[in-house]
C-alpha cells in the first residue's frame, strides 16, 4: 500500500520510513527539511521537499500516488521554544493539521495516524492513563491537544478515521546504526549525555536535583524508536481493518531518573561521564510514566526494546558512527 509520511525526514519519520520500506510498502515522504535530513532516507523512498501548510503542494504530491494512509509527524517539538514563540507552535502544529485535514477531505483520504505527546497531560498522577486530566502547562502541549481536538471534530464531520499517539520520551536508534537522532540544536537528555564520551562536552548538566522523586531528579519513561514506529504500523493495519478512532499512550511504562540514565550511559560507554548540578529548566513535571495497557489491549503493541541499556546502546552506536550527525 502507498503510505504518505509527513515530516518523514525527521528522527521518528525516518525510522518509520525505513520500517515501511522493509515491510515492502510504497513510501512517500514530505518534509520541509528545516529540522529533517534528506540523507536519513533511502533511495526507495519517494521524497518531496515542501511544507504541509502549502495545500497546493500537498495536493500535487497526493495526486501522484494512490495514498491509503497518512502518518503525520511534521511538527515543532521543543517545550522551551514554544514558551518563547507560542505562535510558531500554533501555526506549524495546529494550522499544519488543519491544512492536512482539508486536503484529506478534498482528496478523499480517510486514514491518519499522528503524533501527540505526554505534554498534553501537564502535571499528572502516575501512572498516566489516556483518560487522565488534560491540562497542558506549555504552548507545545496545548498545540498537541488542539491537534487532537481538531481532528476529533473533523472526523465526525468528514468521516476521517484517526489514531493519535501520546509519546513519552522517544530514544535510541535503529539497530543497524545508519539512522538516528540528529537535531541541529540538541536538547534531549540521552544524546546530550553521549556528547561527553564523544569528547564534545566535558560534563552533563543535571537540570534540577530537588524534584519530588527518590534521588531528586526527574523521572521519565523512555521508549525505543523502533518500538514506537512499530505501533504506528499496527495502527495503520488497525484502521485498515475498520478500527475506530482511538488515542493511545506510547511508553515503556518504566520510569528512570536523570541520574539513573547517566549511570546507564556510563555502563554502556565505559566512560566516567562527569555530571554537574544545574538549576531546573522550568516547566518539567517531576515524573512522567505511561500506562500503555490500552495500546497492548487494542493494538497488541508491546515494547520489545525496553531495556534502558539497550536503548542507550543503540543511540551510542549511531552517535559514535556519526559524530556530527548526517
Ligand atoms: N535533562 C537534564 N539535563 C539536560 C537535558 C535534560 O538533566 O541537559 C533532564 C530534563 O530535566 C528532564 C529529562 O532530562 O527531566 C529529559 O529531558 P528531555 O529534554 O530529553 O525530554 P523531556 O522529558 O523534557 O521532553 C519530552 C519530549 C518532548 C515532550 C515532553 C513531554 O522530548 O517533546 O517529553 O513532557 F514534550
Amino acid at each position: 500500500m502507498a503510505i504518505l509520511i509527513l515530516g518523514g525526514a525527521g528522527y521518528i519519520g525516518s525510522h518509520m520510513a525505513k520500517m515501511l520500506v522493509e515491510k515492502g510498502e510504497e513510501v512517500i515522504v514530505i518534509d520541509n527539511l528545516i529540522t529533517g535530513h534528506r540523507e536519513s532516507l533511502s533511495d526507495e523512498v519517494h521524497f518531496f521537499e515542501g511544507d504541509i501548510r502549502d495545500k497546493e503542494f500537498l495536493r500535487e504530491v497526493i495526486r501522484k500516488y494512490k495514498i491509503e494512509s497518512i502518518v503525520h509527524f511534521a511538527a515543532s517539538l521543543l517545550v522551551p521554544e514554544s514558551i518563547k514563540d507560542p505562535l510558531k507552535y500554533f501555526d506549524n502544529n495546529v494550522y499544519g493539521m488543519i491544512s492536512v485535514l482539508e486536503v484529506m477531505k478534498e482528496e478523499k483520504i480517510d486514514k491518519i495516524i499522528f503524533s501527540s505527546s505526554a505534554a498534553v497531560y501537564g502535571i499528572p498522577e502516575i501512572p498516566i492513563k489516556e483518560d487522565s486530566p488534560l491540562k497542558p502547562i506549555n504552548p507545545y502541549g496545548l498545540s498537541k491537544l488542539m491537534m487532537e481536538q481538531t481532528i476529533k471534530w473533523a472526523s465526525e464531520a468528514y468521516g476521517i478515521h484517526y489514531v493519535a499517539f501520546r509519546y513519552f520520551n522517544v530514544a535510541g536508534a535503529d539497530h543497524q546504526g545508519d539512522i538516528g537522532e540528529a537535531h541541529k540544536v540538541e536538547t534531549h537528555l540521552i544524546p546530550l549525555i553521549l556528547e561527553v564520551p564523544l569528547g564534545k562536552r566535558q560534563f552533563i548538566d543535571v537540570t534540577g536535583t530537588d524534584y519530588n522523586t527518590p534521588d531528586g531528579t526527574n523521572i521519565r519513561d523512555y521508549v525505543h524508536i523502533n518500538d514506537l514506529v512499530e505501533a504506528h504500523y499496527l495502527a495503520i493495519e488497525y484502521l485498515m481493518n475498520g478500527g475506530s478512532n482511538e488515542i493511545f499512550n506510547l511508553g515503556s511504562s518504566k520510569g528512570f531518573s536523570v541520574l539513573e540514565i547517566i549511570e546507564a550511559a556510563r555502563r554502556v560507554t565505559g566512560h566516567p561521564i562527569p555530571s554537574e548540578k544545574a538549576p531546573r529548566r522550568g516547566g518539567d513535571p517531576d515524573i512522567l510514566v505511561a500506562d500503555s495497557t490500552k495500546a497492548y489491549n487494542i493494538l497488541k503493541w508491546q515494547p520489545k526494546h525496553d531495556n534502558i541499556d539497550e536503548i542507550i546502546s543503540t543511540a551510542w552506536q549511531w552517535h559514535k558512527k556519526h559524530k556530527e550527525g548526517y
Side-chain angles (χ1 to χ4, degrees):
M1 62 188 145
I3 298 166
L4 172 62
I5 309 179
L6 306 174
Y11 168 46
I12 301 175
S14 58
H15 284 77
M16 182 86 220
K18 180 169 188 281
M19 190 200 66
L20 290 175
V21 166
E22 283 166 5
K23 289 191 191 278
E25 309 294 357
E26 183 172 24
V27 181
I28 301 101
V29 162
I30 286 180
D31 199 296
N32 62 13
L33 297 183
I34 291 177
T35 54
H37 304 274
R38 177 71 185 86
E39 308 90 306
S40 66
L41 298 169
S42 69
D43 295 341
E44 287 101 322
V45 171
H46 308 285
F47 176 74
F48 297 88
E49 182 175 346
D51 198 291
I52 59 165
R53 291 163 295 184
D54 179 348
K55 283 184 256 179
E56 222 18 76
F57 161 73
L58 264 186
R59 245 180 246 120
E60 236 173 74
V61 175
I62 283 173
R63 285 185 184 161
K64 284 190 211 280
Y65 302 91
K66 245 181 107 4
I67 309 277
E68 284 173 272
S69 306
I70 294 183
V71 191
H72 177 21
F73 300 108
S76 302
L77 52 85
L78 301 176
V79 171
E81 182 189 58
S82 80
I83 294 168
K84 279 202 207 101
D85 193 0
L87 296 182
K88 173 176 173 181
Y89 279 68
F90 299 129
D91 181 24
N92 203 11
N93 297 1
V94 186
Y95 179 66
M97 177 58 106
I98 294 170
S99 168
V100 170
L101 291 170
E102 278 181 349
V103 175
M104 286 178 72
K105 177 183 123 196
E106 286 163 17
E107 300 298 320
K108 305 202 173 5
I109 298 173
D110 69 350
K111 288 183 252 333
I112 181 167
I113 321 289
F114 78 99
S115 328
S116 184
S117 168
V120 298
Y121 295 112
I123 303 177
E125 299 274 311
I126 304 300
I128 307 169
K129 288 189 157 226
E130 288 82 356
D131 57 4
S132 298
L134 303 173
K135 294 183 185 161
I137 54 169
N138 51 59
Y140 167 69
L142 178 59
S143 75
K144 288 284 167 176
L145 183 55
M146 289 164 82
M147 288 169 78
E148 287 186 8
Q149 292 173 340
T150 304
I151 199 163
K152 174 183 175 288
W153 290 103
S155 164
E156 288 193 18
Y158 316 125
I160 290 171
H161 306 287
Y162 69 92
V163 166
F165 286 119
R166 293 179 182 150
Y167 302 161
F168 284 67
N169 289 58
V170 191
D174 184 66
H175 290 74
Q176 287 170 2
D178 298 326
I179 57 173
E181 196 167 1
H183 295 122
K184 282 160 197 153
V185 181
E186 192 49 77
T187 62
H188 292 110
L189 180 65
I190 292 176
L192 283 177
I193 293 175
L194 294 176
E195 286 185 1
V196 181
L198 285 175
K200 293 166 77 176
R201 168 183 299 273
Q202 304 236 292
F203 57 87
I204 179 75
D205 278 328
V206 179
T207 52
T209 50
D210 57 350
Y211 286 99
N212 188 16
T213 59
D215 68 18
T217 66
N218 285 151
I219 293 180
R220 294 287 179 271
D221 176 334
Y222 295 85
V223 55
H224 191 274
I225 181 80
N226 280 350
D227 283 331
L228 186 97
V229 298
E230 180 68 28
H232 292 66
Y233 189 69
L234 294 173
I236 296 171
E237 289 183 323
Y238 165 81
L239 289 182
M240 288 287 187
N241 292 328
S244 58
N245 300 333
E246 288 294 354
I247 297 181
F248 299 100
N249 285 338
L250 286 185
S252 297
S253 307
K254 291 182 187 171
F256 293 94
S257 72
V258 173
L259 295 184
E260 286 171 330
I261 295 293
I262 297 171
E263 200 45 52
R266 290 181 181 132
R267 280 195 300 275
V268 166
T269 62
H271 188 283
I273 312 187
S275 68
E276 290 201 359
K277 287 186 182 180
R280 291 181 176 209
R281 296 188 303 193
D284 285 324
D286 297 291
I287 307 179
L288 291 175
V289 178
D291 177 331
S292 297
T293 45
K294 184 176 172 189
Y296 176 74
N297 289 338
I298 297 182
L299 298 177
K300 302 286 167 258
W301 177 74
Q302 201 166 17
K304 295 187 192 84
H305 313 290
D306 55 353
N307 177 303
I308 196 64
D309 288 22
E310 180 186 347
I311 293 177
I312 295 175
S313 163
T314 58
W316 178 230
Q317 295 315 316
W318 152 257
H319 287 291
K320 261 198 305 196
K321 251 170 96 179
H322 302 85
K323 244 179 139 175
E324 303 304 327
Y326 287 99

